[in-house]
Amino acid sequence: MTLSTESSSRGAARIFSALLEARTGQILSESRAWRMETALKPVIRANGLADMDDLAARLLSNRDSALEDQVVNALLNNESSFFRDLQIFDMIHRQVLPAIHADRRDRVLRVWSAGCSTGQEVYSLAIQLRNDMARWRGWRIEILATDISTAAIEQARNGIFSQMDVQRGLAVGDLIKWFEPVGENWRASPELRRTIDFRTDNLFDAKAPSGEYDLLLCRNVLLYFTQERRQHVFRLLTRHSHEQSVLLLGAGETVIGHSDDFIPHPDFRGAYARRQERSCSEALRRAI
């Protein structure tokens, strides 16, 4: 590669990175930037373009929102798997959901999966709930799953997964019970798909969530945001939680330094709880 060609490609990469940040708030890390050309090859090929420079030139010369969507979808990290971090799902099943069941007198369970990707995480949760329906009989269960990627939400809503997808974390019994073969792929049953409300939404201009949720999952999403944008997301999560809500983040994510509204959960290891508001009398007593 000549110096001029290398410089040109770097310029194209900066254009794509800027587009991704403007549309999603995500910063393209070095580990993802080096895969940029591979990720964009299908977009380049589908639009009859020569290379990344040609794609960048098309974006600059013509405001094509459809092409921008294709580029953004290609660059987003939609890595996911069923029952990812199994110990977390074990805790949800054995501790978190029973605690919510005991606390909610109105018999309504509300869950929000923010940054749900292609849906494996939230389908895993739905499988847990459906397998334990004797406990939840008579309850209204609302599960909202959002992601900024239109392609990811389309796949999640369709519920179609490859053989490799279902082999990553999904037990054979659950596969047989909750999925049906479609050619070489597997599709979630209509009953399972009806359990979840999948919507395309942006965490920085969120329209899908409403009210407060008992369980909030925002796992492996904040990794790609700046400090300021992480704080914005935590403010959003605060608005849609209550004092008994449980928040779950990814293994490499924390509220420390980003939010004063959440603290490590006293009962559930690795989870977060809303900071309890002190009463006026307690605050006065502590001040004396």
Side-chain angles (χ1 to χ4, degrees), residues 240-258:
H240 292 291
S241 62
H242 53 76
E243 290 192 347
Q244 301 302 318
S245 295
V246 178
L247 170 65
L248 290 171
L249 305 178
E253 299 169 326
T254 180
V255 303
I256 298 173
H258 307 301

Side-chain angles (χ1 to χ4, degrees), residues 5 40 51 75 80 110 116 186 190 232 255:
T5 301
L40 290 174
D51 51 28
L75 293 178
S80 186
R110 303 194 77 220
C116 68
W186 293 84
H232 178 101
V255 303

Side-chain angles (χ1 to χ4, degrees), residues 183-202:
E184 297 181 354
N185 299 316
W186 293 84
R187 188 176 196 187
S189 68
E191 180 183 355
L192 202 60
R193 282 184 278 124
R194 282 196 300 267
T195 305
I196 308 165
D197 180 12
F198 286 106
R199 299 194 199 180
T200 304
D201 203 22
N202 187 333

Side-chain angles (χ1 to χ4, degrees), residues 82-83 86 89 93 120 123-132 161 166-181 186-189 192:
F82 289 98
F83 294 96
L86 187 57
F89 279 93
H93 175 63
Q120 287 94 318
Y123 274 120
S124 300
L125 179 63
I127 288 171
Q128 285 186 324
L129 288 166
R130 286 292 174 184
N131 284 341
D132 196 24
F161 300 95
V166 298
Q167 286 177 338
R168 296 181 62 196
L170 192 60
V172 173
D174 286 331
L175 175 63
I176 294 172
K177 184 176 182 179
W178 296 110
F179 291 78
E180 52 194 19
W186 293 84
R187 188 176 196 187
S189 68
L192 202 60

Side-chain angles (χ1 to χ4, degrees), residues 230-246:
R230 287 173 187 171
Q231 292 172 347
H232 178 101
V233 173
F234 278 120
R235 288 194 294 270
L236 173 68
L237 295 173
T238 300
R239 288 199 301 274
H240 292 291
S241 62
H242 53 76
E243 290 192 347
Q244 301 302 318
S245 295
V246 178

Side-chain angles (χ1 to χ4, degrees), residues 32 56 176 204 239 267 288:
R32 294 167 67 200
I176 294 172
F204 304 106
R239 288 199 301 274
D267 301 319
I288 296 174

